[in-house]
Amino acid sequence: MDEEKVISGYNHTIMRRLLGYAKPYWIYVVGALVSLTLAPSSDLLLPVVIQRAVDRHLVARFTRIADEELQLDELRRLDLEAAFDFGDAFYVQDDELTAVNGIARARLIEAGVLDETGYYVFHITDDLLLELGPDLEDLIFEVSDDDSSPMASIRSTDLDLLDPEVRALVRGEDLEELRQTARVFLALLVSVLFFTFGQLYLMALTGQGVMRDLRSELFDHTVRQRLGHLSQHPVGRLVTRVTNDVETVNQLFTDVLINLISNIAKMIGSLVTLTILNWRLGLVTLATIPPVIILTVIFRKRAREAYRRVRIWVSRVNAFLSEHLSGMSVVQLFVRERRARSQFAEQNDELMKANLAEMYVFATFRPIVDLLSSISIAVIIYFGAAFLVRGLVSLGILIAFVNLIRRFYQPVMQISEQFTVVQSAMAGSERVFEMLDQTDRIEDRGTSTDSVEGNLAFKSVWFAYKPGEPVIKDLSFTVEAGQTVAVVGYTGAGKTTIANLLTRLWDIQDGSIRIDDRDIREF
């Protein structure tokens, strides 16, 4: 039984050759790459938007810092976004306070100027001035020195004591920002949908175009090969080359190549975003990654072996079906139906076992990845809660980390599976190109286009389909123009072979065939 050739993995020569077929569709590829850049970026911004909404507008908790002038000058130099200067005190939003560099934070803690009470800071608008009665005025803790845009602070615990209408006015800016955040969030979701559709659709157009061109070229190349060459290859194998193997190229472009790049970009982007949001929690996240890498390497090896067996047995079953169905008359003539059924059952069982082995690998890998994902989230929550109590992270950052961890692990499983399909596409492409590179034709070097009378002569012609097994031995005869000659003989004597040699579907090994006393190779 012939073994299917399956290469070990990525081959840059084959990939470069495949990409050559994509050149006519370069505009689609460029559009897909642009969409590929924008879709993951929009997707990764979603947790960041949620984090800012939670920290800046839902929780919106400020820490009051006041005492030594040195500390306040140091804070002013930090150029914090969510911090307000009340003159002799600073109100810094908690998520901004977590970003203060270690040295400055240590000096603030050492000086004892951090007020852990928790405050809310708001602008005193005209609407609020109308509501400044005992209900609100008695609860205001401090008012800023800026008369042009006065601000006030209130303890977070006192905020709940206000009437709902007054509290809505106090938190009016936050409510408006939340509405704006919802609009931004919706816009990002729409952009993710649009760009994801764009990259998939454009790469599908590219893959279908490449597959069509490759299949047409392969068919055109095959039909021009000499019969001697084609007879050496089972029909089922040739059909597999033109159908299944070319289809793997389509999968490479539509399902794998763009998604593989997208998933890698998502994983790297997730880790970068995690580190930017909070480097401490980012380091904890990175510590949970090595088991995933080890598992992926093991899985790739197992999946490659399983996928190789599937490809081998798919090709064998296709070849068996094609040969036996096209030659069913011979099978029935020799009463071999039972044996053929038994042989097919054996090969069909092997294909089933190969498919089950492949499914077993994936069925084992996916739950383990889910388990590692859950463990990573648990680790993040455990350390994040400890950091949250110590003021090193904010609630919004902790929520963003959980979302980003999920976004990191989602592509892990897909990437591992896509590496296997890449290998399959490389193997299928190699077999297709191997077939395209084999040129075995009967050369047509004739130059004569003169009309012929039709005098035919076979002179000492020798021919064998297989070396050492001649079908025609030293055959000589002549047929005059206009003469009718009958060739009679038992099955396999060479009657059809004579017609095939005369039409040059096959070339003789020795002797000559002449028309009007000229070798037929001259025509």
Side-chain angles (χ1 to χ4, degrees):
M1 183 70 69
D2 239 357
E3 288 288 338
E4 285 291 308
K5 184 179 181 182
V6 180
I7 59 178
S8 59
Y10 177 80
N11 186 303
H12 69 277
T13 302
I14 293 177
M15 179 60 75
R16 185 169 60 248
R17 193 168 175 179
L18 276 177
L19 292 178
Y21 285 86
K23 285 184 179 179
Y25 311 99
W26 65 270
I27 189 69
Y28 298 149
V29 176
V30 171
L33 291 176
V34 172
S35 299
L36 170 65
T37 303
L38 297 175
S41 301
S42 300
D43 188 51
L44 290 174
L45 282 175
L46 293 174
V48 178
V49 170
I50 293 175
Q51 177 262 321
R52 290 182 66 88
V54 171
D55 286 337
R56 297 290 173 87
H57 310 300
L58 285 179
V59 177
R61 185 179 185 275
F62 288 77
T63 296
R64 185 176 184 274
I65 304 173
D67 194 13
E68 299 179 7
E69 193 67 27
L70 174 64
Q71 305 296 341
L72 297 181
D73 289 343
E74 196 163 327
L75 279 172
R76 291 186 181 97
R77 288 196 298 270
L78 291 175
D79 192 25
L80 300 176
E81 181 182 349
F84 300 100
D85 189 351
F86 273 55
D88 59 350
F90 247 78
Y91 286 87
V92 183
Q93 204 151 22
D94 283 4
D95 70 314
E96 285 276 78
L97 192 60
T98 61
V100 173
N101 68 72
I103 297 177
R105 186 181 182 86
R107 295 185 65 180
L108 291 172
I109 295 174
E110 183 180 355
V113 297
L114 292 179
D115 186 347
E116 301 292 345
T117 302
Y119 294 87
Y120 179 72
V121 177
F122 58 97
H123 285 89
I124 302 177
T125 62
D126 293 338
D127 292 335
L128 274 175
L129 287 174
L130 297 176
E131 298 291 339
L132 280 178
D135 186 37
L136 176 60
E137 193 170 8
D138 293 344
L139 296 177
I140 289 179
F141 179 79
E142 190 174 16
V143 179
S144 68
D145 298 334
D146 189 354
D147 296 331
S148 60
S149 179
M151 302 190 68
S153 65
I154 185 174
R155 291 186 177 89
S156 298
T157 53
D158 293 339
L159 195 61
D160 296 332
L161 302 177
L162 297 174
D163 289 337
E165 294 181 1
V166 178
R167 186 164 61 246
L169 288 174
V170 170
R171 302 207 61 183
E173 292 183 17
D174 287 326
L175 294 175
E176 180 57 34
E177 287 294 336
L178 285 173
R179 295 188 190 98
Q180 182 64 26
T181 300
R183 290 190 283 267
V184 172
F185 195 86
L186 179 60
L188 287 174
L189 287 176
V190 172
S191 65
V192 170
L193 174 64
F194 176 77
F195 291 122
T196 301
F197 169 80
Q199 73 181 42
L200 294 177
Y201 181 73
L202 293 174
M203 287 309 296
L205 288 177
T206 303
Q208 290 294 327
V210 170
M211 185 173 64
R212 179 195 61 191
D213 297 342
L214 194 56
R215 184 178 288 148
S216 297
E217 182 179 349
L218 188 59
F219 180 80
D220 181 64
H221 178 81
T222 302
V223 297
R224 291 188 288 125
Q225 300 284 67
R226 71 180 181 90
L227 294 180
H229 172 80
L230 296 177
S231 65
Q232 298 172 6
H233 299 276
V235 176
R237 179 179 295 178
L238 297 177
V239 172
T240 299
R241 295 292 180 272
V242 181
T243 55
N244 291 8
D245 288 335
V246 174
E247 177 61 29
T248 62
V249 176
N250 177 49
Q251 290 179 350
L252 178 68
F253 282 94
T254 58
D255 300 333
V256 177
L257 196 59
I258 198 74
N259 287 329
L260 183 63
I261 299 174
S262 176
N263 286 330
I264 292 176
K266 284 181 182 178
M267 293 177 65
I268 296 175
S270 297
L271 293 177
V272 171
T273 307
L274 288 171
T275 307
I276 292 175
L277 284 177
N278 189 276
W279 65 270
R280 297 179 182 88
L281 213 49
L283 291 178
V284 174
T285 304
L286 291 176
T288 65
I289 303 302
V292 180
I293 297 175
I294 295 172
L295 177 65
T296 303
V297 172
I298 296 174
F299 168 78
R300 281 186 58 195
K301 182 179 179 181
R302 297 286 180 87
R304 183 169 61 240
E305 295 171 356
Y307 205 89
R308 179 179 184 274
R309 285 193 62 202
V310 171
R311 297 302 304 168
I312 289 174
W313 284 105
V314 165
S315 182
R316 289 180 180 178
V317 168
N318 284 344
F320 185 91
L321 285 173
S322 179
E323 292 168 7
H324 284 73
L325 291 177
S326 61
M328 186 56 66
S329 58
V330 178
V331 173
Q332 294 179 351
L333 182 64
F334 289 93
V335 197
R336 308 296 287 178
E337 295 94 336
R338 182 176 298 177
R339 178 173 177 80
R341 185 165 57 247
S342 175
Q343 290 177 334
F344 178 75
E346 291 178 3
Q347 296 194 14
N348 196 30
D349 287 344
E350 291 296 331
L351 177 58
M352 181 189 70
K353 292 177 183 178
N355 278 315
L356 290 176
E358 182 186 20
M359 290 301 101
Y360 176 79
V361 173
F362 284 101
T364 304
F365 177 73
R366 289 170 180 170
I368 294 179
V369 170
D370 288 338
L371 175 63
L372 292 176
S373 172
S374 300
I375 292 174
S376 296
I377 292 174
V379 171
I380 291 301
I381 293 176
Y382 176 79
F383 283 95
F387 291 160
L388 181 64
V389 172
R390 295 166 58 188
L392 299 177
V393 298
S394 63
L395 178 61
I397 287 179
L398 188 56
I399 294 173
F401 263 72
V402 173
N403 286 328
L404 287 169
I405 283 293
R406 293 185 183 278
R407 279 170 168 74
F408 173 82
Y409 275 94
Q410 283 174 354
V412 170
M413 195 156 30
Q414 298 177 15
I415 285 178
S416 303
E417 297 172 5
Q418 286 162 356
F419 274 127
T420 303
V421 181
V422 166
Q423 184 232 325
S424 172
M426 292 292 101
S429 303
E430 185 186 47
R431 291 192 291 264
V432 168
F433 290 140
E434 184 180 23
M435 191 170 174
L436 284 174
D437 294 338
Q438 290 178 353
T439 303
D440 190 357
R441 301 171 184 165
I442 296 177
E443 296 185 11
D444 186 3
R445 297 180 178 177
T447 57
S448 175
T449 58
D450 299 339
S451 60
V452 298
E453 293 182 16
N455 298 310
L456 172 64
F458 273 56
K459 296 185 177 181
S460 302
V461 172
W462 287 76
F463 174 75
Y465 289 105
K466 294 182 179 180
E469 300 179 13
V471 176
I472 294 179
K473 307 174 184 178
D474 197 22
L475 175 64
S476 297
F477 67 87
T478 59
V479 180
E480 299 296 331
Q483 182 181 4
T484 301
V485 175
V487 182
V488 182
Y490 56 84
T491 301
K495 303 183 297 298
T496 305
T497 301
I498 292 175
N500 289 339
L501 294 178
L502 178 60
T503 53
R504 286 200 75 197
L505 293 177
W506 298 80
D507 252 350
I508 61 177
Q509 277 88 44
D510 198 10
S512 66
I513 302 175
R514 309 182 75 80
I515 296 179
D516 297 340
D517 204 30
R518 296 176 62 181
D519 195 298
I520 61 173
R521 294 183 179 90
E522 296 180 15
F523 292 93

